[in-house]
Amino acid sequence: EAGVVQSPRYKIIEKKQPVAFWCNPISGHNTLYWYRQNLGQGPELLIRYENEEAVDDSQLPKDRFSAERLKGVDSTLKIQPAELGDSAVYLCASSPRRGGLYTGELFFGEGSRLTVL
Amino acid sequence: TQLLEQSPQFLSIQEGENLTVYCNSSSVFSSLQWYRQEPGEGPVLLVTVVTGGEVKKLKRLTFQFGDARKDSSLHITAAQTGDTGLYLCAGGKGGNTGKLIFGQGTTLQVKP
């Protein structure tokens, strides 16, 4: 079974430029998460989707960040314009349900490392 | 605000030593997961504990969920260099809530 696929793995951009990250979750996983992680730190949730609906975006900086999950499968996270402080690894994860309930078990992609110069 | 605090933040030990990592919160969680992350990779799930007092073993790793389901520990026996990485605990409310809170992580370095 294929895991969570993210692209690009690495991105270097100048500040004020736009950037987009793509995620393909594990087939059948309805819940999709975008996290941001700084070096040596735990992941911080940006947004959580249940199918195509964003059910928790309270920590998404909406002035510059946007996300979408069309058709409830693939997802895209965009930053426009990027700032120096956005340099981090952006992780996508998907999670299965069992008996209709959340399991809390996340399967992560390898992440997209963003460097803003 | 629900917080999960991990300790220690950094740990550097010699191969063969034992160690314990702690994950504490003032909140009750329906489940708690431990992940290990290697450089350049995403976190990988090691174990899920759901019952207060539960103990799970994964080879040389022993995971325990506190009786009150507010804390957890990870004990590694006879650490190996391959155990090096970032260890993350994460607490979930489960049920109809998919929210998951991560601790800040414990960086473990096992030297040969």
Side-chain angles (χ1 to χ4, degrees):
Chain A
E1 179 183 88
V4 176
V5 179
Q6 289 188 246
S7 68
R9 286 295 309 276
Y10 305 94
K11 189 74 175 179
I12 301 174
I13 60 173
E14 299 278 338
K15 63 181 180 182
K16 299 184 182 180
Q17 294 298 305
V19 64
F21 306 111
W22 174 81
C23 173
N24 178 240
I26 293 174
S27 177
H29 287 191
N30 294 333
T31 311
L32 184 145
Y33 304 76
W34 281 103
Y35 284 89
R36 176 168 58 189
Q37 185 179 32
N38 292 310
L39 188 64
Q41 300 292 314
E44 297 175 335
L45 179 68
L46 292 173
I47 190 167
R48 174 167 58 96
Y49 280 94
E50 187 61 35
N51 297 310
E52 66 275 4
E53 180 183 1
V55 296
D56 185 354
D57 64 355
S58 58
Q59 298 184 71
L60 187 73
K62 297 180 184 65
D63 57 335
R64 297 183 300 106
F65 286 66
S66 64
E68 61 181 10
R69 191 184 184 197
L70 299 176
K71 301 181 181 179
V73 181
D74 294 359
S75 178
T76 303
L77 177 70
K78 297 179 181 178
I79 309 174
Q80 182 173 12
E83 297 179 352
L84 296 177
D86 295 331
S87 294
V89 175
Y90 291 83
L91 292 165
C92 178
S94 66
S95 182
R97 288 197 181 208
R98 293 199 188 95
L101 300 178
Y102 289 96
T103 61
E105 297 175 350
L106 271 57
F107 295 81
F108 284 87
E110 293 180 308
S112 294
R113 180 177 296 277
L114 173 66
T115 301
V116 182
L117 302 176
Chain B
T1 303
Q2 303 162 12
L3 291 175
L4 272 171
E5 296 187 1
Q6 287 186 236
S7 62
Q9 279 192 279
F10 302 97
L11 196 53
S12 181
I13 61 172
Q14 294 294 137
E15 197 170 27
E17 292 184 4
N18 301 333
L19 67 117
T20 302
V21 177
Y22 299 93
C23 177
N24 295 298
S25 175
S26 57
S27 297
V28 175
F29 293 99
S30 62
S31 68
L32 195 137
Q33 289 79 33
W34 283 93
Y35 294 81
R36 184 165 75 99
Q37 185 177 21
E38 297 187 24
E41 303 292 329
V44 175
L45 179 67
L46 295 174
V47 76
T48 297
V49 286
V50 296
T51 305
E54 182 177 4
V55 176
K56 281 191 174 180
K57 291 192 175 185
L58 185 65
K59 296 184 181 178
R60 295 174 294 100
L61 279 60
T62 302
F63 305 86
Q64 184 162 8
F65 203 11
D67 291 341
R69 290 184 288 131
K70 293 182 179 181
D71 55 84
S72 181
S73 64
L74 158 61
H75 182 79
I76 301 179
T77 303
Q80 300 176 356
T81 55
D83 295 328
T84 293
L86 178 67
Y87 288 82
L88 298 159
C89 66
K93 289 294 188 178
N96 290 320
T97 304
K99 189 166 185 139
L100 201 66
I101 306 295
F102 276 87
Q104 75 272 40
T106 295
T107 299
L108 171 64
Q109 180 187 44
V110 182
K111 295 178 285 188

